[in-house]
Each structure stands twice: as C-alpha cells, then as structure tokens.
Amino acid sequence: MIFEFQRAIWYNTIAEKIPHTETDPVAYIKSSIPESVYLSDVDSTEVVKIIKSLKNASAGSDGVHAKIVKESYALYIEPLVHILNLSIRQGFFPNSMKIAKVVPLYKSGDAIKLSNYRPVSILPLFSKILERLMYNRLMSFIDKHKLLYKYQFGFRKNHSANMALILLVDKIASAIEKGEVVLGIFLDFQKAFDTVNHNILLQKLNKYGIRRTAHLWLKDYLNQRQQYVSFVNTESDKTMIRCGVPQGSILGPLLFLLYINDLVNTSQTLMPILFADDTNIFLSGKSLQDMINTMNNELEKIVEWLKANKLSLNVKKTHYMVFRSQRCHNLNANSSLTINGVVIENVEHTKF
C-alpha cells in the first residue's frame, strides 16, 4: 500500500512548496505549429510487426503474456485491428488498459526495508500495442517538424548518451583552446516524471500541433488511470493516478520530452544538454566572476519556468563544476552560484 500512495505524496509535498506565479507555461513555446497531426488508419501488417517485437516480460493486470499473443495473433488479428482503429478514430483509450500493476523490485541490502525496493509499473499487454501505434504517428509528426530540442538525448533514436558526452567534451575542449573556462551546472529535478501537470501538458501538445482527435485521445489516455500493488500473491486496492506520465509506458517518456522541451527557451546565453530529466547547462567565458553573475541571472529565469510548469529542483543535489586548463589561474570570484538563495555546491567530479 505504501508504494501505491507514494506518487500522490510526492506530488502533494512538492507542489505545496512551489511558489505561485502568473507566468503562462505555454508562453515559453515560441511559435505554434499551424499543421495538425494526422492519424492514419491501422492495418494488420503494422500490428503484427508490433506484436512480434514485444518483449516476453511479466503480465500486467490483464494476465496476458506476450508469448501467448505472439503464438495466437492470427486467430484474432482482424477484430483486434478493428478495435485499435476505433480507438484512434474516435479519440478514446479503453479504461481496462489504464491499470498499472506495481511490483516492488528488490535492489540490494536489507530485504525488510522498503527503501531497498524499486516500484516497477507493468501495463496491460494490449495497451502497449495501442501505445506503440500512437507513438509511431506522433513521432513521425514530431520528426517532420523538428519539434524536439536538438540537444535532447533521452529516449530518442540516433541520440545516445555517448553523443551527449562527445558534444560536451568538444564544447569544453574548444573553449579551453580559446583560453576560456567552462562553467557547468548539473540540475537535479524532483520526481519530474511523476509530477507532470496534465492540464499544462495538454496545452503544450495543442500548441505543438497535436490537436483534434489526437488531442482527445491523449487526454483520455492520461485520464482515470489507476494502479495497484502486487506482492507475494497479494494485491492492494486500486487507486487513481492524478499526475505524472504513466510509468512503464511507451508514450510516457515522449510526453515528458514534449513537456520540458521549452525549458531551453528560457535563455539565449546558456547551452543546455539534456537527457530526459537530467538537465545540464553550460556557459563559457574569460572571467569566472562575470560568468557567475550571468549564470545567476539565467538561473532565475529557469526557476521561473519551473514555477510556471509546477516542477521543482532538489537544490541540495544540484551542483556545478569549472572546466579549465591547468595554465588558467584567473578563477577568483567574489560571489557564489545560488538558487532561491541556496548556495550551489562546487564539485570536482560528477556523473554525467
């Protein structure tokens, strides 16, 4: 039961601490996409391809295993395609597919301590098929209009963590060759996936061109979702999920990327490198003091964006590094980097 209420507790606790702002969260999106996404019909070839690609994972609340579906899909492929087309054409997502089975996965340490378990959400198998169909259509539209920030490396094809690392190393090396130093801040979001505001997300999707039936479908997809905990042949009661993108889903990561996509528009000075909710911002220059002053001003803009989007930082886990040549000695600064009056820690190493 504790796992079941954890997301609600996170959201309520974090949301209560976020100061109110009159800033419109959608205002950060520079321009609206005039074209609306087109949802093409589903055919059996596409569905069969998705079925064959399913992983043989644990069954969700429906009790259906991928292995069984792979072996028997020929018996019901026509009615299945008909149902999937009805969903996409009419803009609804079946309630039976919105139920997540949460399984506590043991990590390490004392098996009696709850903190040594990670909650894993398992969704019904047929929901994964329907989600993949919608994902393919949305991703085609997103790629066509180049909606995602170019240096967002999370959950994207041809955008690996290695590419992000190469980009950062090149940025640092180029600055050092010019006799500059690089100031990098590694921001730590608080439960960002679990605290996404659905109303704000839907407003952003509309501005990005995800409108009409696609918008209705996604609104229904997010609405009335439930979860329950399954542990040692015991199941808890179901409870509603009122915020966040669905854990264990195919669409959840993509929706999150669209939600935070406009964060980079808060500053024309910084260079953000993102990997999903791992947000890292960089600034280069000759004078560390000038860079700290500039960075503090830009951080205020980021904090305002966070307020507007009802997200929060864990300032205690946020830190910064200074990258420089060994020949560079002009690193004196009379002030510190701060967020909401809290001094950010300067570290010698970090996990990127």
Side-chain angles (χ1 to χ4, degrees):
M1 291 296 289
I2 295 176
F3 282 110
E4 188 175 352
F5 295 110
Q6 198 168 34
R7 177 182 292 188
I9 293 171
W10 282 335
Y11 179 73
N12 291 333
T13 302
I14 294 171
E16 288 172 0
K17 295 180 180 179
I18 299 173
H20 176 72
T21 179
E22 296 296 332
T23 303
D24 180 6
V26 185
Y28 290 95
I29 302 177
K30 293 182 178 180
S31 59
S32 178
I33 303 298
E35 183 182 345
S36 296
V37 62
Y38 171 71
L39 301 180
S40 59
D41 277 352
V42 174
D43 60 37
S44 58
T45 302
E46 184 181 11
V47 176
V48 170
K49 183 178 179 181
I50 293 172
I51 290 174
K52 289 182 177 180
S53 69
L54 291 171
K55 296 180 180 180
N56 293 324
S58 301
S61 60
D62 56 0
V64 178
H65 290 267
K67 183 179 180 180
I68 296 174
V69 174
K70 289 178 180 179
E71 293 175 351
S72 62
Y73 67 82
L75 301 174
Y76 52 80
I77 188 65
E78 288 188 12
L80 176 60
V81 169
H82 176 68
I83 292 171
L84 296 171
N85 269 320
L86 282 178
S87 170
I88 292 176
R89 291 171 187 167
Q90 298 180 10
F92 80 92
F93 192 89
N95 287 335
S96 60
M97 295 186 183
K98 300 177 185 178
I99 303 171
K101 180 173 77 172
V102 182
V103 178
L105 185 66
Y106 175 69
K107 295 184 293 185
S108 61
D110 190 346
I112 297 178
K113 291 185 177 180
L114 184 66
S115 58
N116 291 329
Y117 289 82
R118 179 169 62 92
V120 176
S121 295
I122 304 172
L123 297 173
L125 185 130
F126 287 104
S127 75
K128 296 178 182 179
I129 298 173
L130 183 50
E131 281 192 61
R132 178 58 66 183
L133 291 167
M134 181 60 72
Y135 177 94
N136 292 343
R137 284 149 180 76
L138 293 179
M139 207 62 228
S140 177
F141 181 80
I142 289 167
D143 286 341
K144 175 184 176 181
H145 293 279
K146 299 179 180 178
L147 296 182
L148 292 177
Y149 173 55
K150 63 180 178 179
Y151 295 148
Q152 168 60 265
F153 293 92
F155 305 112
R156 299 178 68 188
K157 287 184 179 180
N158 304 317
H159 288 75
S160 66
N162 288 337
M163 292 175 67
L165 186 58
I166 291 169
L167 174 66
L168 176 57
V169 171
D170 182 66
K171 165 75 173 176
I172 295 170
S174 297
I176 289 176
E177 285 178 3
K178 293 186 291 186
E180 297 179 340
V181 296
V182 176
L183 178 61
I185 299 187
F186 303 85
L187 302 171
D188 188 82
F189 281 37
Q190 280 190 297
K191 306 296 179 184
F193 278 79
D194 291 320
T195 54
V196 166
N197 183 283
H198 291 170
N199 290 332
I200 295 175
L201 172 60
L202 290 168
Q203 290 178 56
K204 292 188 176 187
L205 294 177
N206 184 71
K207 198 156 185 178
Y208 281 130
I210 302 172
R211 307 185 184 99
R212 301 169 186 162
T213 306
H215 196 269
L216 287 173
W217 191 95
L218 287 166
K219 182 178 181 180
D220 193 53
Y221 169 79
L222 293 168
N223 191 37
Q224 298 294 309
R225 299 195 74 91
Q226 295 179 294
Q227 64 179 2
Y228 69 94
V229 176
S230 177
F231 186 66
V232 193
N233 298 320
T234 302
E235 296 181 352
S236 73
D237 294 332
K238 296 182 181 68
T239 188
M240 300 300 297
I241 303 173
R242 306 189 186 282
C243 61
V245 294
Q247 297 294 318
S249 67
I250 293 169
L251 281 170
L254 177 59
L255 294 176
F256 180 80
L257 295 187
L258 291 168
Y259 190 81
I260 67 165
N261 193 51
D262 55 296
L263 167 63
V264 301
N265 296 334
T266 59
S267 173
Q268 302 300 315
T269 305
L270 304 177
M271 176 186 168
I273 299 179
L274 312 181
F275 194 94
D277 61 333
D278 286 334
T279 301
N280 314 285
I281 53 178
F282 300 92
L283 179 67
S284 59
K286 297 283 188 178
S287 168
L288 181 59
Q289 182 61 66
D290 290 344
M291 292 164 62
I292 286 177
N293 293 339
T294 300
M295 186 67 84
N296 278 328
N297 290 332
E298 299 306 302
L299 283 171
E300 289 181 5
K301 299 175 185 177
I302 292 175
V303 168
E304 183 64 21
W305 181 91
L306 289 165
K307 292 178 187 176
N309 286 275
K310 302 189 184 303
L311 295 176
S312 183
L313 283 177
N314 187 337
V315 182
K316 292 182 179 179
K317 290 186 178 181
T318 294
H319 49 264
Y320 77 95
M321 293 180 66
V322 178
F323 303 89
R324 63 178 178 83
S325 165
Q326 291 183 344
R327 299 186 302 273
C328 183
H329 301 291
N330 185 26
L331 291 177
N332 295 323
N334 298 321
S335 58
S336 303
L337 285 170
T338 61
I339 296 177
N340 291 328
V342 179
V343 176
I344 304 173
E345 181 185 7
N346 180 14
V347 299
E348 293 295 324
H349 57 83
T350 188
K351 183 178 179 180
F352 180 71

